[in-house]
């Protein structure tokens, strides 16, 4: 990941931010993203993907609760878009194949052939420290670079209880 992108991530002090690769790998993050979404930096690099987090880590299911199915289905649809865009990418095909083996939910959703572009989303999270908060997510596609597909940014409505929750996490 370019150093300039690392500086940009670190400059977002009230915005959880991730740099995501084309195999959904998390290649960069800021401190607030870890505070909101969990200690994914401690995971082995091979499991540090949005896909693995959604389909194999129980804490993320608890974070999304009732919204998990929708988030997971959108993610699988996004993987379908990536699979079509990067035909012949053996790493992406292996990633999808592995997920089909380790997660019955992923295999079921993949078999349904959803297709979805991930851009603007709204998530209701149930955070273990600050409670319920609503975050608006925006995926900003980065210029073509094999390690960096997009910048995933999250924000709360200004003046909301969710913004206050982010403020508490940022100051911890």
């Amino acid at each position: 990941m370019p150093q300039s992108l690392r500086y940009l991530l670190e400059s977002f002090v009230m915005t959880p931010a991730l740099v995501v690769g084309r195999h959904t790998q998390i290649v960069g993050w800021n401190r607030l993203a870890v505070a909101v979404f969990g200690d994914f930096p401690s995971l082995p690099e091979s499991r540090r993907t949005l896909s693995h987090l959604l389909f194999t880590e129980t804490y993320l299911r608890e974070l999304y609760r009732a919204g998990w199915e929708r988030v997971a289905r959108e993610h699988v649809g996004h993987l379908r878009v990536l699979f079509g865009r990067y035909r012949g990418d053996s790493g992406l095909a292996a990633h999808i194949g592995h997920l089909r083996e380790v997660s019955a939910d992923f295999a079921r959703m993949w078999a349904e052939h959803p297709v979805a572009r991930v851009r603007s989303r709204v998530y209701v999270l149930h955070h273990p420290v600050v409670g319920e908060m609503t975050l608006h997510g925006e995926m900003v596609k980065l210029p073509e670079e094999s390690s960096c597909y997009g910048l995933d940014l999250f924000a709360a409505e200004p003046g909301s209880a969710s913004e206050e929750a982010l403020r508490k996490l940022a100051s911890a």
Side-chain angles (χ1 to χ4, degrees):
M1 179 173 67
Q3 189 65 35
S4 59
L5 199 48
R6 164 64 40 211
Y7 295 153
L8 183 63
L9 280 175
E10 291 172 6
S11 75
F12 293 124
V13 293
M14 278 295 295
T15 303
L18 302 167
V19 174
V20 182
R22 68 166 68 161
H23 303 164
T24 77
Q25 68 274 31
I26 301 168
V27 297
W29 54 85
N30 65 5
R31 193 175 69 77
L32 193 51
V34 173
V36 171
F37 296 107
D39 190 20
F40 51 83
S42 68
L43 294 172
E45 196 171 321
S46 64
R47 289 186 28 233
R48 195 181 306 138
T49 71
L50 295 176
S51 303
H52 278 94
L53 291 173
L54 275 170
F55 290 98
T56 66
E57 298 295 329
T58 56
Y59 75 87
L60 216 57
R61 283 186 189 240
E62 183 58 28
L63 186 67
Y64 288 109
R65 290 193 184 158
W68 179 85
E69 181 84 18
R70 177 186 62 87
V71 171
R73 189 171 303 286
E74 286 174 358
H75 183 77
V76 172
H78 176 66
L79 274 174
R80 279 249 177 235
V81 169
L82 294 176
F83 191 65
R85 179 173 293 143
Y86 302 113
R87 289 210 176 275
D89 184 326
S90 60
L92 182 57
H95 176 68
I96 291 166
H98 173 72
L99 288 166
R100 290 172 70 190
E101 291 175 12
V102 300
S103 170
D105 286 324
F106 181 88
R108 171 181 51 84
M109 290 178 195
W110 185 259
E112 294 168 2
H113 299 281
V115 176
R117 284 211 155 128
V118 173
R119 263 193 85 199
S120 299
R121 297 100 63 217
V122 177
Y123 299 129
V124 176
L125 304 176
H126 303 274
H127 195 275
V129 175
V130 295
E132 185 175 297
M133 63 179 163
T134 300
L135 295 182
H136 300 260
E138 193 70 35
M139 174 66 82
V140 179
K141 192 163 178 331
L142 294 170
E144 283 301 315
E145 183 175 321
S146 62
S147 67
C148 305
Y149 174 79
L151 183 60
D152 213 358
L153 304 170
F154 301 88
E157 182 180 334
S160 68
S162 297
E163 183 184 51
E164 184 56 33
L166 280 180
R167 205 174 299 289
K168 286 178 185 173
L169 290 172
S171 67

